[in-house]
Amino acid sequence: ANTPWHACNVEEERHTERVYTIREGETLELTCLVTGHPRPQIRWTKTAGSVSDRFQDSSVFNETLHIAKILRTQGGRYYCKAENGLGSPAIKSIRVDVYYLDDPVVTVHQSIGEAKEQFYYERTVFLRCVANSNPPVRYSWHRGREVLTQGSDKGVEIYEPFFTQLQGETKILKLKNLRPQDYANYSCIASVRNVCGIPDRSVIFRLTNKTASPSIKLLVEDPIVVNPGQTVSLVCITTGGEPPPTLTWVSSNDSLPQRSVVKGGTLTLPAITSDEAGIYSCVASNNVGNPAKKSTTIVVRALKKGRFWITPDPYHNDDNIQIGREVKISCQVEATPPEELTFSWLKNGRALRSSERMVITQTDPDISPGTTNLDIIDLKFTDFGTYTCVAALKGGGIPEISIDVNISSTTVPPNLTVPRGKSPLVAREGDTVELECLVSGKPKPIILWSRADKEAPMPDGNMQMESYDGVLRIVNVSREMTGSYRCQTSQYNGFNVKPREAVVELIVQYPPTVEPVFMEMRQGLGRPVVMTCRVLRAHPSRVLRFEWLLSNRLLHAGAFDAQRDETEYTIRSLNRDGWGEYTCNVINEAGAGKCTFQVTGKAYPPEFYYDTYSPLWQNRPRVYGFKLQWTQMNPNAVDRIVAYRLGIRQMGLQRWWEQEIPVDGTINKGELMTHNLTELIKPESYEVRLTPITRFGEGDSTIRIVTYSAPINPHLREFHCSFEEEPICMFTQDKNDDFDWTRHSAATRDTKYTPNTGPSGDRSGSKQGFYMYIETSRPRKEGDQARLVSPFFNVAPKNPYGITNPPAYCFGFFYHMYGKHIGTLNGPVWSLSGNQGDRWKQAKVSIHPTASFQVVLEGVRGPGIEGDIAIDDVTLEEGECRDPPPSE
């Protein structure tokens, strides 16, 4: 079945949903036409089609949404939301469907079955064609020049696998039990039936008796162990496959290193680093069978993070080292690869061998990897000295790590204390603070800092921070960091004993947070103004004092009332000196919070009214007039508005023209005000600025653009339509009637069904000339209506303040009502029914419009099929109708 694909770039109702179709790469323009007063704010948003969609979190604030070179991922539902603060927002949505077609890809699979009884191979080949597209693709297969269809060749089957998600996602061509003629060029053609002008795309696959899936070989050992800085080359070669496969390299680290170079099957990694270690795979693909993949692991040698700890005799409940008891020294490093790690021990710089009294062991890697121990079984005075453990990698090329450990009578376990006056520590927000724990003991271990009062991360984001000297430094301290901090000894570079710990309290002070930070207060002269500054948070919360200022001049100050969290300042009756910027400072030990009030007599802005009916008029050749309308926002908030300053500037020019529009009396809320702009030059646009004026001076101004639009019918005195052109003079069919008028000429009309009705030519008698008529044959029924609607006609006002004497126009047309079942023809204040004979007649009607108007012609079907009504030569002229012509 042929799906009727609709044209591109057309909005249409599809199951009551509005859909806009566009081809990928073209420019999307959606326009939201809005009405409403005050002028609504428009915002375009999109439901996320995909998470990565950039548009989803942005929104666009124009009436027209513009996306150049649209991508398929940008399809989806777009919402236009209009709000003006009154009622609920208006929301309209449209679904954008992006059409595209990618090149098809053919993949080939073979199955070889062996039958036991007879000795033959059965070889079946499947060719599968897939193309990404929207709408779904239709596929066709060709062998050479011949089209293959299901049933056209016994050895060929064409089918869609039943397990695909989308119908039409793929087409499989099955060649059963290959025959010599099956070795050929196969082409798959993918088509979206030329929708949006998208051409078909095709791909050719050449099937031969050598067609085979790929195989490869890696010419490297696995794993490859290298030193950092070395250049590594991985070589991959093809050992089979037809057509010749393409080789690609992939790595377990998401992507190949930036500096890597791929040339043919060789991947070169110059100056390798530890970050670039991982699994590297060579993949060969030729769309036949499955891709071939071979992998190797690159290991980059490394030694880092050397640490030691001392464990006193585990059999005595004493953390000290004592002569005659056991002591164990442990060393740990991180090594890659771990199996290459070797340790050696020195005492005072001389090599140490394992003996009965000095036992050297390696710890089980599962328990504590990369660790060596030196056990001194029975400590003697002569054992005091410096012990060094040296870690190295067998492969060489990596610098060794040496760790020195002193064992002497002064080697003692650690202790932790907080210095006097360092807890609690009071700081101001934004300062740099140092929390201190004094470490005594020898050697001095690494100190771990963490939060003691709650499970929360430290300032650097980790749960604990390391410090080598016991000091924790916090830069730019914030109020959230208030609390207790625990310092504790680690076993690293110290004793492997129960940790010692201490706690430091940190108090962060900050100035009061107040509201409002800024507030504009508009008020008329002689009225009261009350300003209130409120404290939300402060530390210390004992707020000390407040001060009120006007332009830095102190008005009032005092101690803050602990019972109340606010202070206020009142102007009983605003005078001219009272306008200006008031500030209130609320002050504690850490600083001041500041409320600012701008007291002004500025009037609010006017709001232009954009829905004025037919605002443009033109009764002179080169200029036009425009009816500007607006309402005033909050007219009673300040002093009475005495005038508006009107500024007007022709777009593209610099100069503003200004004039004052006086206002008598007071303006009410919502009152529509009008001012006619005259002498505007066609077809220029103008920027119009309107500013309210009070005793205070200028208020807030508003700007709008006035654009010229040519009327549909510039001069009514010459409107005439004989329906010769397809646009039918901008007449339109009424959307709410039962059927439509048809444009026709006698030469194209088929009269053999209903010969006794309708005209045999247009009004001038020409068989080629066109007219409009209603076809009353089936499925029309009696009483069905067809309405034809004229374009809007603008009435030219004689003076700009509305139309005094409504002008007269004469509406005329010719009609043809012949046949025994003629129904009714209705025009403006005119109606006629029944058979009027086989000839054209003229009707004329005088009309007196008071505003822009349209004319409707309505045809009503009579009782049978011989009832075709026709009209032609519609005219509209200025002035009353002269005597109608005598009716024949």
Side-chain angles (χ1 to χ4, degrees), residues 263-311:
K263 199 168 172 195
T266 302
L267 169 66
T268 305
L269 305 170
I272 198 160
T273 64
S274 291
D275 299 342
E276 294 166 355
I279 299 167
Y280 287 80
S281 310
C282 171
V283 182
S285 159
N286 66 352
N287 290 350
V288 180
N290 294 322
K293 181 172 176 179
K294 291 272 171 76
S295 305
T296 182
T297 304
I298 297 182
V299 176
V300 179
R301 289 193 182 91
L303 265 186
K304 49 182 196 285
K305 224 168 182 180
R307 297 186 147 176
F308 74 88
W309 57 90
I310 299 165
T311 310

Side-chain angles (χ1 to χ4, degrees), residues 685-699:
S685 297
Y686 290 85
E687 189 171 11
V688 178
R689 182 175 61 207
L690 203 54
T691 314
I693 294 171
T694 62
R695 282 193 287 172
F696 171 81
E698 293 198 355

Side-chain angles (χ1 to χ4, degrees), residues 493 580 729 827 887:
N493 299 359
C729 323
S887 52

